[in-house]
Amino acid sequence: MRKLALSDEILMRVEKPARYIGNEVNMVVKNPEEVDIRFCMCFPDVYEIGMSHLGIQILYDMFNKRNDTYCERVYSPWVDLDKVLREEQIPLFALESQDPVKVFDFLGITLQYEMCYTNILQILELSQIPLFSKDRGEELPIVIGGGPCAFNPEPLADFFDLFYIGEGETVYDQLLDAYKEYKNQGKTKKEFLEAAAEIEGIYVPAFYDVTYHEDGTIASFEPNNPHAPKKIKKQAEMNLSDTFYPEKPLVPYVKAVQDRVVLEIQRGCIRGCRFCQAGMLYRPIRERDVEFLKARAVEMIQNTGHEEISLSSLSSSDYSQLQELVYYLIDTFRKEGVNISLPSLRIDAFALDVMSKVQDIKKSSLTFAPEAGSQRLRNVINKGLTEENILSGAMSAFISGWNKVKLYFMLGLPTETEEDIEEIAILSDKIAREYYTIPKQERNGKVSITTSTSFFVPKPFTPFQWTRMATKEEFISKRKLLSAKLKEQLNNKSIKYNWHDAELTMLEGVFARGDRKLCALIYEAYKNGCLFDSWSEYFKNDVWMQAFKNLSLDMDFYNHRERSKDEILPWDFIDAGVTKSFLWREYETGRAEQVTPNCRKGCAGCGAKVFNGGVCYEPRNEAGESTISQ
């Protein structure tokens, strides 16, 4: 019988104790005494969200396939257990063995979104690990960060020993092998970090120095250790049909946000939306073989008991073998009552046919993401979607029996005008009007349009990484303008309007494009009570604003200014595949309101061809240089 870190008495004092006891279906059990490396994988948010993350499932499976490694998990304790752990001085523990996180060799933290940064400090402090990497001794875990936010690791640089830039299937084995050698030979932590820095894709922030100009912009970013390269190259797994993918994913006892089998059909995107970080970071597009996916789907349903399969992709419609895969899944699982979920699907005849077979039309809604109301602004962001596409898709859905539509837009996009905002309301109304052109006796009740807006946040490695972000006051004004315009529409009773919080968006913008100075800000806010910032009931904007004031940091500097073409950006030392010259070219093309064709129609020379694979057509000379004009 394994030991429990928490007594029954303590478990009875917390909400959802099943979050903390492990023993889930397909959990891996090993004897910690029989392995060389203990790796604790962390998602810095509540269990239900972390258990829905595919990346951790993949790495958990991959690490535990190594005989010399035992990978376990930890998530952010909810506020009730956080209080208990502090009062009782119980160190945070891993779910599998219930051993304290501080006894592990590695603590690997997934950086999925910016508003989890204070939770990272919670994990470290509750684990009784010093928050700053410079204060950790030889006996404590190596703290490593990875995930999309690691593509600008600088706001967290002081808290991490190293960062893994890119996809984990590539050099993690090399990193773990290097650690095993370091451990067996009794070398120092610094010696291991120097060896790690020589592995492609590994960034050790302590091995780099930053200097600043008087105006606060970066003057230089240089290695201070001979083992550290000037550029860190993103890691990308090019063969997705012959790599790690869990056959027996973990199944939580507590209902997770995504309680289903996730079938990742491809990585990357051909579309080139200029606001989309994922579409740039995960280039080039790489597909999984359809036979691989069929086999995995059957295995995962058998091994989990889930009743839904979700096809994961940035743009499912662009998967070349989608029809074969989807019809196979429908035919295979129809008798078992397994639902097929297809997010990111363009609304066309095939999509409607599929959804009519896998959804209850009376209950479900269709989702469109025009992002901008006017065609002019959709051209600016390279959405590649016309009003005709949107209206014809909606009409096809209405004729097929749907009467609920969700529309997603962004406010504050570059070059946005009041007319662009008003066009969101007009487009919402036009879609409702389309429905009422159907004869009354053929309609499925009244139409329901839900129009939702988020606020645009410029992200690293996108063409808009240089652009100014709107202020909180501007965002609120834009939202009020749209709300008023929606009320003017003839079909306003059919339209519901949802919007995001402006204050939280402001902070996300700061961290998205921030530098190392923000480490002090995160620490200051955390010590003054900030935690679970992405949860509206716990977000303390006044504490964050006081932290900015205490440290003489200016939010306007990070959010509300245009960057120049030659400014050194905090993430410039990372080679993400897409070149800075391509991104700048797209920035200018967007401002000229011009559309760049998707990758299958023509190559724009983004740089991703350097990975030698995927759906990528960039012509290169013998030296490997792009022959497309820069």
Side-chain angles (χ1 to χ4, degrees), residues 330 340-342 345-368 391-406 431-440 442-449:
I330 292 172
I340 314 298
S341 172
L342 294 107
L345 197 64
R346 286 198 302 278
I347 307 302
D348 54 20
F350 161 68
L352 293 172
D353 175 57
V354 169
M355 285 184 282
S356 67
K357 293 177 180 178
V358 300
Q359 292 186 10
D360 181 343
I361 291 175
K362 292 182 180 180
K363 294 180 180 179
S364 64
S365 61
L366 292 179
T367 299
F368 295 86
L391 295 178
S392 64
M395 190 60 178
S396 297
F398 294 150
I399 292 171
S400 299
W402 274 270
N403 65 344
K404 299 175 184 176
V405 173
K406 294 179 181 178
I431 292 172
R433 286 171 184 264
E434 285 290 298
Y435 182 79
Y436 288 111
T437 63
I438 300 172
K440 188 173 183 179
E442 298 176 19
R443 297 176 202 156
N444 184 18
K446 295 181 178 180
V447 73
S448 173
I449 310 292

Short mmCIF file of all heavy atoms in Angstrom, two decimals, residues 330 340-342 345-368 391-406 431-440 442-449:
data_model
loop_
_atom_site.label_atom_id
_atom_site.label_comp_id
_atom_site.label_asym_id
_atom_site.label_seq_id
_atom_site.Cartn_x
_atom_site.Cartn_y
_atom_site.Cartn_z
N ILE A 330 -17.10 7.31 -37.80
CA ILE A 330 -18.56 7.23 -37.67
C ILE A 330 -19.03 5.79 -37.82
O ILE A 330 -19.81 5.27 -37.01
CB ILE A 330 -19.24 8.14 -38.70
CG1 ILE A 330 -18.98 9.62 -38.37
CG2 ILE A 330 -20.75 7.87 -38.75
CD1 ILE A 330 -19.47 10.58 -39.44
N ILE A 340 -18.34 12.04 -32.32
CA ILE A 340 -17.17 12.55 -33.01
C ILE A 340 -17.25 14.07 -32.99
O ILE A 340 -18.23 14.66 -33.47
CB ILE A 340 -17.10 12.06 -34.48
CG1 ILE A 340 -17.37 10.55 -34.57
CG2 ILE A 340 -15.75 12.43 -35.09
CD1 ILE A 340 -16.38 9.69 -33.84
N SER A 341 -16.24 14.71 -32.43
CA SER A 341 -16.21 16.17 -32.33
C SER A 341 -15.19 16.72 -33.31
O SER A 341 -14.04 16.25 -33.35
CB SER A 341 -15.84 16.59 -30.90
OG SER A 341 -15.61 17.97 -30.81
N LEU A 342 -15.61 17.70 -34.10
CA LEU A 342 -14.73 18.27 -35.13
C LEU A 342 -14.61 19.78 -34.96
O LEU A 342 -15.27 20.55 -35.67
CB LEU A 342 -15.25 17.95 -36.53
CG LEU A 342 -15.25 16.49 -36.92
CD1 LEU A 342 -16.67 15.96 -36.92
CD2 LEU A 342 -14.62 16.29 -38.27
N LEU A 345 -13.57 23.39 -38.02
CA LEU A 345 -14.02 22.83 -39.30
C LEU A 345 -14.74 23.91 -40.10
O LEU A 345 -15.60 24.61 -39.59
CB LEU A 345 -14.97 21.66 -39.04
CG LEU A 345 -15.24 20.69 -40.18
CD1 LEU A 345 -13.95 19.96 -40.57
CD2 LEU A 345 -16.30 19.67 -39.76
N ARG A 346 -14.36 24.05 -41.37
CA ARG A 346 -15.08 24.98 -42.25
C ARG A 346 -16.46 24.41 -42.54
O ARG A 346 -16.64 23.21 -42.75
CB ARG A 346 -14.31 25.20 -43.55
CG ARG A 346 -13.09 26.06 -43.40
CD ARG A 346 -12.63 26.60 -44.75
NE ARG A 346 -12.34 25.53 -45.71
CZ ARG A 346 -11.18 24.87 -45.76
NH1 ARG A 346 -10.23 25.14 -44.89
NH2 ARG A 346 -10.99 23.94 -46.65
N ILE A 347 -17.46 25.29 -42.60
CA ILE A 347 -18.83 24.85 -42.82
C ILE A 347 -19.05 24.69 -44.32
O ILE A 347 -19.23 25.66 -45.06
CB ILE A 347 -19.84 25.85 -42.23
CG1 ILE A 347 -19.52 26.11 -40.76
CG2 ILE A 347 -21.26 25.32 -42.40
CD1 ILE A 347 -19.51 24.86 -39.89
N ASP A 348 -19.01 23.43 -44.80
CA ASP A 348 -19.29 23.13 -46.20
C ASP A 348 -20.17 21.88 -46.24
O ASP A 348 -20.62 21.37 -45.21
CB ASP A 348 -18.00 22.93 -47.00
CG ASP A 348 -17.07 21.88 -46.37
OD1 ASP A 348 -17.57 21.05 -45.57
OD2 ASP A 348 -15.88 21.87 -46.71
N ALA A 349 -20.42 21.38 -47.44
CA ALA A 349 -21.34 20.25 -47.57
C ALA A 349 -20.86 19.04 -46.79
O ALA A 349 -21.65 18.35 -46.12
CB ALA A 349 -21.51 19.90 -49.06
N PHE A 350 -19.56 18.76 -46.84
CA PHE A 350 -19.02 17.62 -46.11
C PHE A 350 -19.20 17.82 -44.61
O PHE A 350 -19.66 16.91 -43.90
CB PHE A 350 -17.54 17.44 -46.43
CG PHE A 350 -16.79 16.60 -45.42
CD1 PHE A 350 -17.05 15.24 -45.30
CD2 PHE A 350 -15.84 17.18 -44.58
CE1 PHE A 350 -16.38 14.47 -44.36
CE2 PHE A 350 -15.17 16.42 -43.64
CZ PHE A 350 -15.44 15.06 -43.53
N ALA A 351 -18.87 19.00 -44.11
CA ALA A 351 -18.97 19.26 -42.67
C ALA A 351 -20.40 19.10 -42.19
O ALA A 351 -20.67 18.50 -41.14
CB ALA A 351 -18.46 20.67 -42.36
N LEU A 352 -21.37 19.62 -42.96
CA LEU A 352 -22.77 19.53 -42.55
C LEU A 352 -23.25 18.08 -42.57
O LEU A 352 -24.01 17.65 -41.70
CB LEU A 352 -23.64 20.40 -43.46
CG LEU A 352 -23.39 21.91 -43.34
CD1 LEU A 352 -24.15 22.67 -44.41
CD2 LEU A 352 -23.81 22.40 -41.95
N ASP A 353 -22.78 17.32 -43.55
CA ASP A 353 -23.15 15.91 -43.61
C ASP A 353 -22.63 15.17 -42.39
O ASP A 353 -23.35 14.39 -41.75
CB ASP A 353 -22.59 15.27 -44.89
CG ASP A 353 -22.86 13.78 -44.94
OD1 ASP A 353 -24.03 13.37 -44.86
OD2 ASP A 353 -21.88 13.01 -45.03
N VAL A 354 -21.36 15.45 -42.05
CA VAL A 354 -20.75 14.79 -40.89
C VAL A 354 -21.47 15.20 -39.61
O VAL A 354 -21.85 14.36 -38.79
CB VAL A 354 -19.26 15.14 -40.79
CG1 VAL A 354 -18.69 14.69 -39.45
CG2 VAL A 354 -18.50 14.50 -41.93
N MET A 355 -21.68 16.49 -39.43
CA MET A 355 -22.28 16.96 -38.18
C MET A 355 -23.72 16.50 -38.02
O MET A 355 -24.19 16.28 -36.91
CB MET A 355 -22.17 18.49 -38.11
CG MET A 355 -20.74 18.94 -37.78
SD MET A 355 -20.57 20.71 -37.56
CE MET A 355 -20.56 21.26 -39.25
N SER A 356 -24.43 16.31 -39.14
CA SER A 356 -25.79 15.81 -39.03
C SER A 356 -25.80 14.38 -38.52
O SER A 356 -26.78 13.92 -37.94
CB SER A 356 -26.49 15.88 -40.39
OG SER A 356 -25.89 14.98 -41.31
N LYS A 357 -24.68 13.67 -38.72
CA LYS A 357 -24.58 12.28 -38.28
C LYS A 357 -24.07 12.16 -36.84
O LYS A 357 -24.32 11.16 -36.18
CB LYS A 357 -23.65 11.50 -39.20
CG LYS A 357 -24.18 11.34 -40.62
CD LYS A 357 -23.17 10.62 -41.52
CE LYS A 357 -23.72 10.46 -42.93
NZ LYS A 357 -22.75 9.81 -43.83
N VAL A 358 -23.36 13.17 -36.37
CA VAL A 358 -22.72 13.03 -35.06
C VAL A 358 -23.25 14.02 -34.02
O VAL A 358 -22.85 13.98 -32.87
CB VAL A 358 -21.18 13.19 -35.16
CG1 VAL A 358 -20.60 12.14 -36.07
CG2 VAL A 358 -20.79 14.59 -35.64
N GLN A 359 -24.16 14.92 -34.43
CA GLN A 359 -24.69 15.89 -33.48
C GLN A 359 -26.21 15.85 -33.45
O GLN A 359 -26.85 15.50 -34.44
CB GLN A 359 -24.26 17.33 -33.86
CG GLN A 359 -22.78 17.59 -33.71
CD GLN A 359 -22.46 19.06 -33.95
OE1 GLN A 359 -23.34 19.89 -34.05
NE2 GLN A 359 -21.19 19.38 -34.04
N ASP A 360 -26.76 16.24 -32.33
CA ASP A 360 -28.19 16.47 -32.21
C ASP A 360 -28.44 17.91 -32.66
O ASP A 360 -28.09 18.87 -31.97
CB ASP A 360 -28.64 16.27 -30.76
CG ASP A 360 -30.14 16.48 -30.58
OD1 ASP A 360 -30.77 17.07 -31.48
OD2 ASP A 360 -30.67 16.06 -29.54
N ILE A 361 -29.06 18.03 -33.84
CA ILE A 361 -29.21 19.36 -34.45
C ILE A 361 -29.98 20.32 -33.54
O ILE A 361 -29.70 21.51 -33.48
CB ILE A 361 -29.90 19.23 -35.83
CG1 ILE A 361 -28.93 18.54 -36.82
CG2 ILE A 361 -30.32 20.58 -36.37
CD1 ILE A 361 -29.55 18.25 -38.17
N LYS A 362 -30.95 19.79 -32.80
CA LYS A 362 -31.77 20.66 -31.95
C LYS A 362 -30.98 21.26 -30.79
O LYS A 362 -31.32 22.31 -30.28
CB LYS A 362 -32.96 19.87 -31.41
CG LYS A 362 -33.97 19.47 -32.48
CD LYS A 362 -35.16 18.74 -31.88
CE LYS A 362 -36.16 18.36 -32.96
NZ LYS A 362 -37.33 17.62 -32.40
N LYS A 363 -29.92 20.57 -30.39
CA LYS A 363 -29.16 21.03 -29.22
C LYS A 363 -27.87 21.74 -29.60
O LYS A 363 -27.39 22.60 -28.88
CB LYS A 363 -28.82 19.83 -28.32
CG LYS A 363 -30.03 19.17 -27.68
CD LYS A 363 -29.60 18.01 -26.80
CE LYS A 363 -30.81 17.34 -26.17
NZ LYS A 363 -30.41 16.17 -25.32
N SER A 364 -27.28 21.37 -30.71
CA SER A 364 -25.94 21.86 -31.03
C SER A 364 -25.97 23.21 -31.74
O SER A 364 -27.01 23.64 -32.26
CB SER A 364 -25.21 20.84 -31.91
OG SER A 364 -25.87 20.71 -33.16
N SER A 365 -24.83 23.85 -31.76
CA SER A 365 -24.69 25.10 -32.49
C SER A 365 -23.48 24.99 -33.41
O SER A 365 -22.57 24.20 -33.17
CB SER A 365 -24.51 26.28 -31.53
OG SER A 365 -23.35 26.11 -30.74
N LEU A 366 -23.48 25.79 -34.45
CA LEU A 366 -22.35 25.85 -35.36
C LEU A 366 -21.51 27.08 -35.04
O LEU A 366 -22.03 28.12 -34.61
CB LEU A 366 -22.84 25.93 -36.81
CG LEU A 366 -23.52 24.66 -37.35
CD1 LEU A 366 -23.98 24.88 -38.77
CD2 LEU A 366 -22.57 23.48 -37.29
N THR A 367 -20.22 26.97 -35.25
CA THR A 367 -19.30 28.05 -34.89
C THR A 367 -18.61 28.60 -36.12
O THR A 367 -18.06 27.85 -36.93
CB THR A 367 -18.25 27.53 -33.89
OG1 THR A 367 -18.91 27.08 -32.71
CG2 THR A 367 -17.28 28.64 -33.53
N PHE A 368 -18.65 29.91 -36.26
CA PHE A 368 -17.89 30.63 -37.28
C PHE A 368 -16.95 31.60 -36.56
O PHE A 368 -17.32 32.20 -35.55
CB PHE A 368 -18.81 31.45 -38.20
CG PHE A 368 -19.74 30.63 -39.04
CD1 PHE A 368 -20.97 30.23 -38.55
CD2 PHE A 368 -19.40 30.27 -40.34
CE1 PHE A 368 -21.85 29.48 -39.32
CE2 PHE A 368 -20.26 29.52 -41.12
CZ PHE A 368 -21.49 29.12 -40.61
N LEU A 391 -21.96 33.78 -45.15
CA LEU A 391 -23.42 33.73 -45.32
C LEU A 391 -23.87 32.44 -45.99
O LEU A 391 -24.89 31.85 -45.60
CB LEU A 391 -23.89 34.95 -46.13
CG LEU A 391 -23.70 36.31 -45.46
CD1 LEU A 391 -24.17 37.43 -46.38
CD2 LEU A 391 -24.44 36.38 -44.13
N SER A 392 -23.11 31.98 -46.97
CA SER A 392 -23.52 30.74 -47.65
C SER A 392 -23.37 29.54 -46.71
O SER A 392 -24.19 28.62 -46.73
CB SER A 392 -22.69 30.53 -48.92
OG SER A 392 -21.31 30.35 -48.62
N GLY A 393 -22.31 29.56 -45.88
CA GLY A 393 -22.13 28.49 -44.90
C GLY A 393 -23.27 28.47 -43.89
O GLY A 393 -23.81 27.42 -43.55
N ALA A 394 -23.64 29.66 -43.42
CA ALA A 394 -24.72 29.75 -42.46
C ALA A 394 -26.05 29.30 -43.08
O ALA A 394 -26.82 28.56 -42.46
CB ALA A 394 -24.84 31.19 -41.95
N MET A 395 -26.29 29.72 -44.32
CA MET A 395 -27.55 29.34 -44.97
C MET A 395 -27.62 27.83 -45.19
O MET A 395 -28.69 27.22 -44.98
CB MET A 395 -27.66 30.07 -46.31
CG MET A 395 -29.03 29.93 -46.95
SD MET A 395 -30.34 30.61 -45.88
CE MET A 395 -31.78 30.37 -46.89
N SER A 396 -26.51 27.23 -45.57
CA SER A 396 -26.49 25.78 -45.75
C SER A 396 -26.83 25.08 -44.44
O SER A 396 -27.55 24.08 -44.42
CB SER A 396 -25.11 25.32 -46.25
OG SER A 396 -24.82 25.87 -47.50
N ALA A 397 -26.31 25.60 -43.35
CA ALA A 397 -26.57 25.02 -42.03
C ALA A 397 -28.05 25.19 -41.65
O ALA A 397 -28.67 24.27 -41.13
CB ALA A 397 -25.68 25.67 -40.99
N PHE A 398 -28.59 26.37 -41.92
CA PHE A 398 -29.99 26.62 -41.58
C PHE A 398 -30.92 25.67 -42.36
O PHE A 398 -31.85 25.10 -41.81
CB PHE A 398 -30.37 28.07 -41.90
CG PHE A 398 -29.67 29.10 -41.04
CD1 PHE A 398 -29.40 30.37 -41.53
CD2 PHE A 398 -29.29 28.79 -39.74
CE1 PHE A 398 -28.76 31.31 -40.74
CE2 PHE A 398 -28.65 29.74 -38.95
CZ PHE A 398 -28.38 30.99 -39.45
N ILE A 399 -30.63 25.50 -43.64
CA ILE A 399 -31.44 24.60 -44.48
C ILE A 399 -31.35 23.17 -43.97
O ILE A 399 -32.30 22.40 -44.05
CB ILE A 399 -31.00 24.70 -45.96
CG1 ILE A 399 -31.35 26.09 -46.52
CG2 ILE A 399 -31.63 23.59 -46.79
CD1 ILE A 399 -30.78 26.36 -47.89
N SER A 400 -30.17 22.82 -43.41
CA SER A 400 -29.96 21.46 -42.90
C SER A 400 -30.55 21.26 -41.51
O SER A 400 -30.47 20.15 -40.97
CB SER A 400 -28.46 21.15 -42.87
OG SER A 400 -27.91 21.21 -44.17
N GLY A 401 -31.12 22.32 -40.91
CA GLY A 401 -31.82 22.14 -39.64
C GLY A 401 -31.23 22.87 -38.45
O GLY A 401 -31.85 22.91 -37.39
N TRP A 402 -30.03 23.45 -38.60
CA TRP A 402 -29.46 24.19 -37.47
C TRP A 402 -30.12 25.56 -37.33
O TRP A 402 -30.48 26.20 -38.33
CB TRP A 402 -27.95 24.38 -37.66
CG TRP A 402 -27.13 23.24 -37.17
CD1 TRP A 402 -26.60 23.05 -35.93
CD2 TRP A 402 -26.73 22.10 -37.94
NE1 TRP A 402 -25.90 21.87 -35.86
CE2 TRP A 402 -25.96 21.26 -37.09
CE3 TRP A 402 -26.94 21.67 -39.26
CZ2 TRP A 402 -25.40 20.05 -37.51
CZ3 TRP A 402 -26.39 20.47 -39.68
CH2 TRP A 402 -25.65 19.67 -38.80
N ASN A 403 -30.24 26.02 -36.10
CA ASN A 403 -30.76 27.38 -35.90
C ASN A 403 -29.97 28.14 -34.83
O ASN A 403 -30.39 29.19 -34.37
CB ASN A 403 -32.24 27.33 -35.51
CG ASN A 403 -32.47 26.67 -34.16
OD1 ASN A 403 -31.59 25.99 -33.63
ND2 ASN A 403 -33.66 26.87 -33.61
N LYS A 404 -28.81 27.57 -34.42
CA LYS A 404 -27.95 28.22 -33.44
C LYS A 404 -26.56 28.42 -34.04
O LYS A 404 -25.95 27.48 -34.52
CB LYS A 404 -27.84 27.38 -32.17
CG LYS A 404 -29.17 27.13 -31.46
CD LYS A 404 -28.98 26.19 -30.28
CE LYS A 404 -30.32 25.86 -29.62
NZ LYS A 404 -30.14 24.86 -28.53
N VAL A 405 -26.09 29.66 -33.98
CA VAL A 405 -24.79 30.00 -34.56
C VAL A 405 -23.98 30.81 -33.56
O VAL A 405 -24.51 31.76 -32.95
CB VAL A 405 -24.95 30.80 -35.87
CG1 VAL A 405 -23.59 31.30 -36.37
CG2 VAL A 405 -25.62 29.95 -36.94
N LYS A 406 -22.72 30.43 -33.37
CA LYS A 406 -21.79 31.21 -32.55
C LYS A 406 -20.81 31.92 -33.48
O LYS A 406 -20.24 31.30 -34.38
CB LYS A 406 -21.03 30.30 -31.59
CG LYS A 406 -21.89 29.64 -30.52
CD LYS A 406 -21.04 28.73 -29.62
CE LYS A 406 -21.90 28.05 -28.56
NZ LYS A 406 -21.09 27.13 -27.72
N ILE A 431 -26.70 37.42 -40.93
CA ILE A 431 -26.83 35.98 -40.74
C ILE A 431 -28.22 35.63 -40.24
O ILE A 431 -28.84 34.66 -40.70
CB ILE A 431 -25.73 35.47 -39.79
CG1 ILE A 431 -24.36 35.61 -40.45
CG2 ILE A 431 -25.98 34.02 -39.38
CD1 ILE A 431 -23.19 35.31 -39.54
N ALA A 432 -28.71 36.41 -39.31
CA ALA A 432 -30.08 36.19 -38.82
C ALA A 432 -31.09 36.38 -39.95
O ALA A 432 -32.06 35.61 -40.08
CB ALA A 432 -30.39 37.15 -37.67
N ARG A 433 -30.87 37.38 -40.80
CA ARG A 433 -31.77 37.62 -41.93
C ARG A 433 -31.79 36.43 -42.89
O ARG A 433 -32.84 36.08 -43.45
CB ARG A 433 -31.35 38.87 -42.69
CG ARG A 433 -31.67 40.19 -41.98
CD ARG A 433 -31.01 41.35 -42.71
NE ARG A 433 -31.21 42.61 -42.02
CZ ARG A 433 -32.18 43.48 -42.31
NH1 ARG A 433 -33.05 43.22 -43.28
NH2 ARG A 433 -32.29 44.60 -41.65
N GLU A 434 -30.63 35.82 -43.09
CA GLU A 434 -30.55 34.64 -43.96
C GLU A 434 -31.52 33.57 -43.47
O GLU A 434 -32.21 32.91 -44.26
CB GLU A 434 -29.13 34.10 -43.99
CG GLU A 434 -28.14 34.90 -44.80
CD GLU A 434 -28.41 34.80 -46.30
OE1 GLU A 434 -28.34 33.70 -46.86
OE2 GLU A 434 -28.73 35.85 -46.90
N TYR A 435 -31.55 33.39 -42.17
CA TYR A 435 -32.42 32.34 -41.60
C TYR A 435 -33.88 32.61 -41.94
O TYR A 435 -34.64 31.69 -42.29
CB TYR A 435 -32.23 32.28 -40.08
CG TYR A 435 -33.05 31.20 -39.41
CD1 TYR A 435 -32.62 29.87 -39.46
CD2 TYR A 435 -34.22 31.51 -38.75
CE1 TYR A 435 -33.38 28.88 -38.85
CE2 TYR A 435 -34.98 30.52 -38.14
CZ TYR A 435 -34.56 29.20 -38.19
OH TYR A 435 -35.30 28.22 -37.59
N TYR A 436 -34.26 33.86 -41.84
CA TYR A 436 -35.68 34.18 -42.03
C TYR A 436 -36.10 34.28 -43.49
O TYR A 436 -37.26 34.59 -43.80
CB TYR A 436 -36.03 35.45 -41.26
CG TYR A 436 -36.04 35.21 -39.76
CD1 TYR A 436 -35.07 35.77 -38.93
CD2 TYR A 436 -36.99 34.37 -39.19
CE1 TYR A 436 -35.06 35.51 -37.57
CE2 TYR A 436 -36.99 34.11 -37.83
CZ TYR A 436 -36.03 34.68 -37.03
OH TYR A 436 -36.03 34.41 -35.68
N THR A 437 -35.17 34.00 -44.42
CA THR A 437 -35.56 33.85 -45.82
C THR A 437 -36.12 32.45 -46.09
O THR A 437 -36.69 32.21 -47.15
CB THR A 437 -34.37 34.11 -46.77
OG1 THR A 437 -33.36 33.13 -46.53
CG2 THR A 437 -33.81 35.51 -46.57
N ILE A 438 -35.91 31.54 -45.14
CA ILE A 438 -36.46 30.20 -45.26
C ILE A 438 -37.96 30.27 -44.94
O ILE A 438 -38.36 30.93 -43.97
CB ILE A 438 -35.76 29.23 -44.27
CG1 ILE A 438 -34.25 29.17 -44.57
CG2 ILE A 438 -36.37 27.83 -44.34
CD1 ILE A 438 -33.46 28.38 -43.54
N PRO A 439 -38.81 29.61 -45.74
CA PRO A 439 -40.25 29.62 -45.43
C PRO A 439 -40.52 29.19 -44.00
O PRO A 439 -39.88 28.27 -43.49
CB PRO A 439 -40.82 28.61 -46.44
CG PRO A 439 -39.87 28.66 -47.59
CD PRO A 439 -38.51 28.88 -46.97
N LYS A 440 -41.47 29.86 -43.34
CA LYS A 440 -41.71 29.66 -41.92
C LYS A 440 -41.97 28.21 -41.56
O LYS A 440 -41.48 27.70 -40.53
CB LYS A 440 -42.90 30.53 -41.49
CG LYS A 440 -43.12 30.54 -39.97
CD LYS A 440 -44.19 31.54 -39.57
CE LYS A 440 -44.35 31.60 -38.06
NZ LYS A 440 -45.37 32.59 -37.64
N GLU A 442 -40.73 25.68 -42.80
CA GLU A 442 -39.53 24.86 -42.94
C GLU A 442 -38.45 25.21 -41.91
O GLU A 442 -37.39 24.57 -41.86
CB GLU A 442 -38.94 25.02 -44.35
CG GLU A 442 -39.89 24.55 -45.44
CD GLU A 442 -39.33 24.80 -46.83
OE1 GLU A 442 -38.09 24.99 -46.96
OE2 GLU A 442 -40.12 24.82 -47.80
N ARG A 443 -38.71 26.21 -41.07
CA ARG A 443 -37.72 26.62 -40.08
C ARG A 443 -37.76 25.71 -38.85
O ARG A 443 -38.79 25.12 -38.54
CB ARG A 443 -37.96 28.06 -39.62
CG ARG A 443 -37.83 29.10 -40.70
CD ARG A 443 -38.19 30.46 -40.14
NE ARG A 443 -38.59 31.39 -41.19
CZ ARG A 443 -39.36 32.45 -41.00
NH1 ARG A 443 -39.82 32.72 -39.78
NH2 ARG A 443 -39.67 33.24 -42.01
N ASN A 444 -36.64 25.66 -38.15
CA ASN A 444 -36.52 24.88 -36.91
C ASN A 444 -36.63 25.84 -35.72
O ASN A 444 -35.68 26.04 -34.97
CB ASN A 444 -35.19 24.13 -36.90
CG ASN A 444 -35.04 23.21 -35.68
OD1 ASN A 444 -36.03 22.88 -35.03
ND2 ASN A 444 -33.82 22.85 -35.38
N GLY A 445 -37.78 26.48 -35.57
CA GLY A 445 -37.96 27.45 -34.50
C GLY A 445 -37.29 28.77 -34.82
O GLY A 445 -37.05 29.12 -35.99
N LYS A 446 -36.98 29.55 -33.79
CA LYS A 446 -36.32 30.85 -33.96
C LYS A 446 -34.81 30.69 -34.08
O LYS A 446 -34.23 29.75 -33.54
CB LYS A 446 -36.66 31.77 -32.79
CG LYS A 446 -38.13 32.14 -32.70
CD LYS A 446 -38.38 33.09 -31.52
CE LYS A 446 -39.85 33.49 -31.46
NZ LYS A 446 -40.11 34.42 -30.32
N VAL A 447 -34.18 31.64 -34.74
CA VAL A 447 -32.72 31.61 -34.86
C VAL A 447 -32.08 32.21 -33.60
O VAL A 447 -32.66 33.10 -32.97
CB VAL A 447 -32.24 32.38 -36.11
CG1 VAL A 447 -32.39 33.89 -35.92
CG2 VAL A 447 -30.79 32.04 -36.44
N SER A 448 -30.92 31.68 -33.25
CA SER A 448 -30.17 32.19 -32.09
C SER A 448 -28.73 32.46 -32.50
O SER A 448 -28.01 31.53 -32.89
CB SER A 448 -30.20 31.17 -30.95
OG SER A 448 -29.36 31.57 -29.89
N ILE A 449 -28.33 33.72 -32.44
CA ILE A 449 -26.97 34.13 -32.81
C ILE A 449 -26.26 34.59 -31.54
O ILE A 449 -26.73 35.48 -30.84
CB ILE A 449 -26.96 35.29 -33.84
CG1 ILE A 449 -27.88 34.99 -35.02
CG2 ILE A 449 -25.54 35.59 -34.28
CD1 ILE A 449 -27.42 33.87 -35.91
#
